[in-house]
């Protein structure tokens, strides 16, 4: 399996707080069947350290990759970030201050949880017009999407890909997020399921449980598509072909 969303780089955000925790997260991922992880620290958060690509993220990634080799943990760590969606995102992408998932054409973008539908749609449209395929982080958790799911029709129609959190499917973010995440998979909206891991104790990198869940609730083919095939195509820079979903 390949995890495209994990806060595993130590000391950069509210994810792994130090190298010991980061290595524990990596080891847990390997034990659950994960072979590659895209490290996605929060960036561009208003009022906080921006974590731009030229602010040391490149070095942090290299140091963690070295620590993994020394520890003998066989997992590939790739560059990425979880970009907070503001009006500056298109320009910051052009300037190279923001990076995409594994150097693909797919930036991972998150939004505020409330009252942001119009702004989110405008930002995604501008990024898509630049030739990117925005990956929307955990849309099932946004209150404005929960209140008006047809917004997702517009996002997918403009070329966005949707990433669902493991924790949402397993009921860890409330009943509404759980129901919407199930609908996203069932209706064919979801392109990826990822851990959005933050620690080795809670919101972990363990994916074996959600793989079994997807297999039991949907199918083995569904589990493979969301956890293996689409993530692999992203890493390869290949097109991710999604069948038209059942619109909301």
């Amino acid at each position: 399996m390949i995890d495209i969303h994990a806060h595993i780089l130590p000391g950069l955000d509210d994810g792994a707080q130090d190298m010991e925790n980061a290595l524990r997260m990596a080891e847990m991922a390997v034990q659950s069947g994960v072979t590659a992880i895209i490290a996605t620290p929060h960036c561009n958060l208003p009022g906080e350290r921006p974590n731009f690509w030229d602010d040391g993220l490149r070095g942090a990634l290299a140091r963690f990759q070295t620590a993994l080799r020394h520890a003998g943990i066989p997992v590939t760590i790739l560059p990425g970030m979880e970009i907070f969606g503001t009006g500056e995102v298109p320009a910051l992408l052009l300037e190279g201050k923001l990076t995409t998932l594994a150097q693909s054409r797919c930036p991972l973008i998150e939004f505020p949880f409330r009252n942001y539908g119009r702004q989110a749609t405008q930002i995604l449209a501008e990024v898509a017009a630049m030739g990117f395929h925005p990956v929307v982080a955990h849309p099932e958790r946004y209150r404005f999407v929960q209140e008006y799911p047809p917004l997702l029709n517009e996002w997918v129609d403009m070329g966005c890909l949707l990433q669902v959190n493991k924790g949402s499917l397993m009921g860890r973010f409330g009943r509404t997020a759980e129901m919407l995440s199930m609908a996203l998979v069932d209706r064919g909206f979801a392109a990826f399921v990822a851990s959005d891991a933050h620690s080795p104790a809670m919101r972990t990198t363990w994916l074996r449980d959600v793989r079994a869940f997807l297999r039991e609730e949907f199918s083995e083919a569904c589990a493979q598509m969301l956890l293996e095939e689409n993530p692999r195509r992203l890493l390869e820079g290949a097109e991710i072909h999604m069948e038209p979903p059942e619109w909301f």
Side-chain angles (χ1 to χ4, degrees):
M1 291 178 284
I2 298 168
D3 191 352
I4 73 159
H5 182 178
H7 299 266
I8 195 169
L9 291 185
L12 292 178
D13 60 6
D14 58 346
Q17 294 304 293
D18 52 37
M19 187 64 75
E20 179 183 359
N21 277 290
L23 292 173
R24 288 173 60 196
M25 291 171 70
E27 187 170 22
M28 180 180 293
V30 170
Q31 291 173 352
S32 76
V34 173
T35 59
I37 300 170
I38 302 179
T40 54
H42 291 289
C43 75
N44 197 43
L45 282 169
E48 299 190 26
R49 181 171 60 178
N51 280 342
F52 291 148
W53 185 239
D54 55 1
D55 283 349
L57 290 192
R58 195 190 313 270
L61 179 69
R63 287 190 295 273
F64 186 48
Q65 290 168 331
T66 298
L68 286 169
R69 287 195 297 272
H70 288 167
I73 300 174
V75 64
T76 300
I77 302 294
L78 298 158
M81 53 176 55
E82 185 176 19
I83 299 165
F84 190 83
T86 67
E88 293 74 33
V89 165
L92 291 171
L93 281 167
L94 284 177
E95 293 171 21
K97 292 185 175 181
L98 304 178
T99 192
T100 59
L101 295 172
Q103 300 177 320
S104 67
R105 297 298 293 172
C106 298
L108 179 69
I109 304 177
E110 69 168 336
F111 298 106
F113 285 91
R114 296 175 180 270
N115 305 322
Y116 210 71
R118 180 179 60 80
Q119 297 94 322
T121 302
Q122 179 63 33
I123 292 164
L124 292 172
E126 291 180 12
V127 172
M130 295 164 60
F132 292 102
H133 295 285
V135 177
V136 182
H138 44 66
E140 74 281 355
R141 296 186 60 203
Y142 303 132
R143 179 64 62 87
F144 61 90
V145 174
Q146 295 173 356
E147 293 173 348
Y148 187 67
L151 188 62
L152 300 174
N153 301 347
E154 186 173 352
W155 292 0
V156 169
D157 197 43
M158 70 172 68
C160 296
L161 300 166
L162 307 185
Q163 175 260 304
V164 170
N165 274 11
K166 173 188 86 167
S168 299
L169 288 165
M170 306 191 79
R172 296 169 188 165
F173 294 108
R175 181 62 175 161
T176 304
E178 178 184 6
M179 293 176 64
L180 184 52
S181 66
M182 292 289 286
L184 292 181
V185 176
D186 187 48
R187 289 171 172 260
F189 277 88
F192 313 97
V193 168
S195 71
D196 192 4
H198 278 66
S199 85
M202 298 180 64
R203 296 178 66 176
T204 73
T205 51
W206 187 267
L207 287 184
R208 186 179 298 170
D209 51 358
V210 77
R211 181 188 177 90
F213 179 88
L214 290 167
R215 185 172 58 242
E216 293 166 7
E217 294 292 329
F218 299 99
S219 67
E220 173 63 25
C222 175
Q224 289 184 4
M225 180 184 75
L226 298 177
L227 293 167
E228 298 180 33
E229 294 172 9
N230 285 349
R232 185 179 299 111
R233 294 186 69 82
L234 186 150
L235 265 55
E236 294 171 350
E239 288 291 326
I240 296 172
H241 301 288
M242 301 287 293
E243 295 295 326
E246 180 185 342
W247 298 115
F248 285 102

